[in-house]
Amino acid sequence: QVQLVESGGGLVQAGGSLRLSCAASGRTFSGYVVGWFRQPPGKEREFVAAINWSAYSRYYGDPVKGRFTIYRDTTKNTVYLQMNSLTPEDTAVYYCAAGRVSNPKVTTAYDSWGQGTQVTVSS
């Protein structure tokens, strides 16, 4: 497992942008897939985006395609989620996850999770 530290959530108006960060503590992300998931109030956790750290392949959930971008900074050992054109439907607690996974879109494939960061989009 790897310890994950998230940051970057907050309150933003519809149409605005936020960037979330997920940093690894104590080791690098090499060999891992790093994913972002979100859990809206009263709903199940859902896949947002993922990146294979080594291969740099990226995956997105349908609701965020074209609006969100996941990328990594190898010098900072950090994965970012750039969120643009936010809508109230994006309001959720966002979680970073990491693991040696074969299906990046499956929640149970990951064995390391961050504490979550709240994103609230006002209309």
Side-chain angles (χ1 to χ4, degrees):
Q1 294 187 344
V2 58
Q3 287 187 313
L4 305 175
V5 180
E6 302 159 348
S7 61
L11 173 64
V12 65
Q13 289 188 332
S17 299
L18 281 175
R19 189 180 74 166
L20 305 182
S21 302
C22 176
S25 176
R27 62 154 296 148
T28 71
F29 279 130
S30 179
Y32 278 74
V33 172
V34 181
W36 285 98
F37 291 79
R38 67 186 182 185
Q39 189 162 15
K43 297 183 179 180
E44 293 187 353
R45 196 169 297 189
E46 64 178 5
F47 172 73
V48 176
I51 184 169
N52 182 306
W53 182 268
S54 300
Y56 204 55
S57 45
R58 294 181 286 183
Y59 313 85
Y60 295 95
D62 287 342
V64 307
K65 284 180 180 177
R67 300 188 298 123
F68 291 12
T69 301
I70 189 169
Y71 62 99
R72 59 166 167 72
D73 185 331
T74 57
T75 64
K76 297 182 179 180
N77 202 35
T78 298
V79 171
Y80 298 96
L81 183 68
Q82 178 65 44
M83 306 186 295
N84 298 329
S85 302
L86 287 162
T87 73
E89 288 68 38
D90 294 314
T91 294
V93 177
Y94 284 71
Y95 297 90
C96 175
R100 301 182 187 274
V101 307
S102 57
N103 188 340
K105 299 183 179 182
V106 176
T107 306
T108 55
Y110 296 83
D111 57 13
S112 299
W113 289 85
Q115 77 283 1
T117 185
Q118 177 71 46
V119 171
T120 302
V121 184
S122 63
S123 58

